């Protein structure tokens, strides 16, 4: 048994890149993947051991989005409920570039014609601007449940594990076969992806740690600005931004309540600790430490598939905050000040 996955969306949305990312087309020998160009239908099919990825790159210049929808409908939509095993489309990945500010009516139309087999994949996450992204997600959530929205970066290889996890779940649900056959398919799938997933996990982990250091560095810089003590706004905003980025690294489009819950694990630490400190250098370290701790808690939360409870999260926060004491934030802050901001990303903090 093989899964058929239709990958569609506007030109430039990242369809082909996504297929390449989940088939390792650019890293494995050609023999591992067969690409069948079905010229008559205008689709590229990427065939692997466990799935056929149908790249719906059929939109041609001059073709309107409505024409494209018609084209997909005509060729593919009837396969969503097809009786024949080879023809059935088990899953649709509808790609949207996450730097698109708003969902367009063409996207709405498109989502409407697809049934409940669709997953919305927000691509190019590492390039997104938070406000644009929030608007996009807000619009999308009116059309599709949050669990069906996955955030990926084809370049950084983040979110792919989450996407495949959700896809497998949906595929299993609509596979025509005995329990044994489906189990055997699942085993093949796990087998095929185990190595890739391990590599992605390492990348995701490194990316998340980088993001936490980035957040903590920014907090160290923010804390030095002589603000009225009551005004913790910029630190909170920075923290929220970091949590938001972390969520995306793990494939989630975080909403406000999750961000607020995770920010809450510090239990008012910013206010209390900063108030007690008059030394600028110490302030940097405190702000960075709290942000770092919150980052570590958030990371653990997303790693656990959002299952850790608040007490566990508070533990993670404390551990993180303690760990941050081994970093000389004041030195880093001075480096940021004296050199360029970008240089910070290159510093090895350990
Ligand atoms: N930064 C970034 N660029 C991407 C990502 N995915 C695709 N791209 C780029 O976006 C452009 C369009 O991607 P492509 O896969 O050809 O889109 P398609 O037309 O939907 O097949 C290419 O230049 C890709 O390198 C991503 O996740 N991050
Ligand atoms: Mg393409």
């Amino acid at each position: 048994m093989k899964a058929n996955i239709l990958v569609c969306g506007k030109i430039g949305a990242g369809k082909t890149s996504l297929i390449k990312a989940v088939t390792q087309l650019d890293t494995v020998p050609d023999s591992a993947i067969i690409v069948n160009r079905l010229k008559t239908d205008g689709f590229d099919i990427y065939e692997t051991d466990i799935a056929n990825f149908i790249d719906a790159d059929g939109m041609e210049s001059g073709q309107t989005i409505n024409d494209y929808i018609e084209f997909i409908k005509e060729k593919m939509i009837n396969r969503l409920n097809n009786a024949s095993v080879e023809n059935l489309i088990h899953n649709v990945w509808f790609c949207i570039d996450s730097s698109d500010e708003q969902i367009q009516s063409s996207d709405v139309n498109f989502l409407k014609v697809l049934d409940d087999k669709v997953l919305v994949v927000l691509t190019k996450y590492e390039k997104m601007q938070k406000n644009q992204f929030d608007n996009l997600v807000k619009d999308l959530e009116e059309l599709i449940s949050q669990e069906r929205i996955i955030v990926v970066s084809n370049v950084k290889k983040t979110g792919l594990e989450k996407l495949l996890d959700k896809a497998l779940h949906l595929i299993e649900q609509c596979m025509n076969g005995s329990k044994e056959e489906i189990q055997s398919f699942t085993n093949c799938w796990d087998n095929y992806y185990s190595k890739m997933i391990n590599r992605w996990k390492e990348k995701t982990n490194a990316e998340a740690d980088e993001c936490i250091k980035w957040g903590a560095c920014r907090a160290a810089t923010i804390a030095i600005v002589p603000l009225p003590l009551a005004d913790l706004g910029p630190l909170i905003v920075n923290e929220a931004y970091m949590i938001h980025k972390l969520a995306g690294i793990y494939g989630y489009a975080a909403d406000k309540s999750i961000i607020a819950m995770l920010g809450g694990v510090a239990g008012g630490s910013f206010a209390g600790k900063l108030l007690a400190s008059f030394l600028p250098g110490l302030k940097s370290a405190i702000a960075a430490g709290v942000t770092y701790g919150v980052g570590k808690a958030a990371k653990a939360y997303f790693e656990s598939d959002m299952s850790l409870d608040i007490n566990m999260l508070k533990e993670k926060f404390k551990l993180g905050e303690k760990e941050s004491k081994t970093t000389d934030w004041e030195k880093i802050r001075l480096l940021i000040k004296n050199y360029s901001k970008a240089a910070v990303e290159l510093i090895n903090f350990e």
Side-chain angles (χ1 to χ4, degrees):
M1 274 202 264
K2 263 191 195 186
N4 292 313
I5 300 173
L6 173 65
V7 185
C8 54
K10 267 181 258 168
I11 263 189
K15 298 179 293 296
T16 309
S17 306
L18 178 62
I19 295 174
K20 286 186 177 174
V22 297
T23 53
Q24 298 282 294
L25 193 64
D26 29 25
T27 55
V28 298
D30 284 355
S31 59
I33 290 158
I34 307 157
V35 183
N36 290 324
R37 173 94 189 164
L38 296 184
K39 280 198 169 59
T40 44
D41 275 358
F43 297 108
D44 281 333
I45 314 271
Y46 295 82
E47 193 180 343
T48 70
D49 291 348
I50 38 91
N52 297 317
F53 293 91
I54 306 164
D55 188 345
D57 232 1
M59 197 165 165
E60 280 153 27
S61 64
Q63 193 181 23
T64 66
I65 187 78
N66 283 332
D67 292 341
Y68 180 60
I69 294 173
E70 282 310 311
F71 162 76
I72 302 273
K73 256 178 152 167
E74 188 193 323
K75 306 287 181 198
M76 288 288 148
I77 301 300
N78 65 345
R79 287 180 53 184
L80 288 174
N81 296 307
N82 205 285
S84 114
V85 178
E86 302 90 74
N87 272 329
L88 182 73
I89 289 185
H90 301 86
N91 205 197
V92 182
W93 296 354
F94 181 58
C95 297
I96 301 178
D97 182 338
S98 68
S99 60
D100 278 355
E101 202 155 335
Q102 268 164 343
I103 179 127
Q104 278 144 19
S105 59
S106 54
D107 298 322
V108 177
N109 287 343
F110 214 124
L111 280 171
K112 278 186 186 153
V113 297
L114 300 166
D115 75 353
D116 59 359
K117 288 177 182 171
V118 69
L119 292 172
V120 171
V121 186
L122 300 180
T123 60
K124 310 189 191 182
Y125 175 69
E126 84 285 5
K127 279 172 59 181
M128 70 93 209
Q129 301 289 313
K130 185 171 182 296
N131 288 347
Q132 292 178 349
F133 185 80
D134 285 348
N135 286 340
L136 182 65
V137 170
K138 206 168 109 239
D139 287 353
L140 268 174
E141 280 177 351
E142 289 179 9
L143 294 163
I144 189 158
S145 81
Q146 211 193 4
E147 298 96 75
R148 287 180 184 267
I149 305 172
I150 299 116
V151 178
V152 308
S153 165
N154 297 322
V155 172
K156 301 266 183 180
K157 312 269 192 270
T158 59
L160 301 173
E161 191 193 341
K162 179 108 301 190
L163 170 63
L164 288 175
D165 192 41
K166 301 232 173 197
L168 175 62
H169 193 65
L170 292 173
I171 290 164
E172 283 169 341
Q173 277 176 7
C174 63
M175 270 208 152
N176 299 317
S178 65
K179 252 193 175 156
E180 290 73 29
E181 282 171 319
I182 294 174
Q183 187 56 50
S184 136
F185 166 79
T186 306
N187 293 345
C188 287
W189 176 285
D190 288 343
N191 210 11
Y192 181 81
Y193 279 116
S194 66
K195 267 198 194 138
M196 267 188 239
I197 284 177
N198 282 340
R199 270 205 302 278
W200 293 338
K201 273 195 172 140
E202 277 170 29
K203 279 188 164 253
T204 302
N205 195 45
E207 196 68 26
D209 284 339
E210 222 24 64
C211 174
I212 295 169
K213 284 174 186 165
W214 167 87
C217 276
R218 281 173 37 123
T221 321
I222 293 166
I224 215 72
V225 179
L227 296 163
L229 280 175
D231 188 4
L232 299 168
L235 285 172
I236 307 283
V237 168
N238 177 58
E239 188 185 85
Y241 200 171
M242 175 188 68
I243 297 171
H244 175 92
K245 278 183 75 161
L246 278 169
I249 289 170
Y250 285 92
Y252 297 103
D255 64 21
K256 279 193 186 124
S257 64
I258 289 177
I259 292 181
M261 185 278 286
L262 288 168
V265 300
S269 292
F270 276 140
K273 290 180 182 171
L274 287 180
L275 201 69
S277 158
F278 294 100
L279 295 172
L282 225 67
K283 274 188 165 180
S284 279
I286 291 166
V290 172
T291 307
Y292 192 90
V294 168
K296 286 288 175 173
K299 182 185 172 202
Y301 184 65
F302 296 122
E303 250 170 12
S304 76
D305 231 348
M306 306 211 269
S307 68
L308 286 189
D309 68 22
I310 191 76
N311 291 329
M312 301 271 274
L313 292 172
K314 283 183 177 163
E315 278 307 304
K316 296 281 178 191
F317 165 73
K318 278 188 206 144
L319 282 173
E321 200 190 15
K322 205 165 150 198
E323 190 187 309
S324 87
K325 298 213 162 86
T326 58
T327 306
D328 189 346
W329 298 105
E330 175 62 2
K331 199 164 132 197
I332 291 170
R333 189 190 64 76
L334 288 173
L335 276 170
I336 303 175
K337 203 173 155 195
N338 294 343
Y339 302 101
S340 79
K341 251 188 174 175
V344 172
E345 318 236 325
L346 303 173
I347 298 168
N348 185 0
F349 302 109
E350 257 89 39

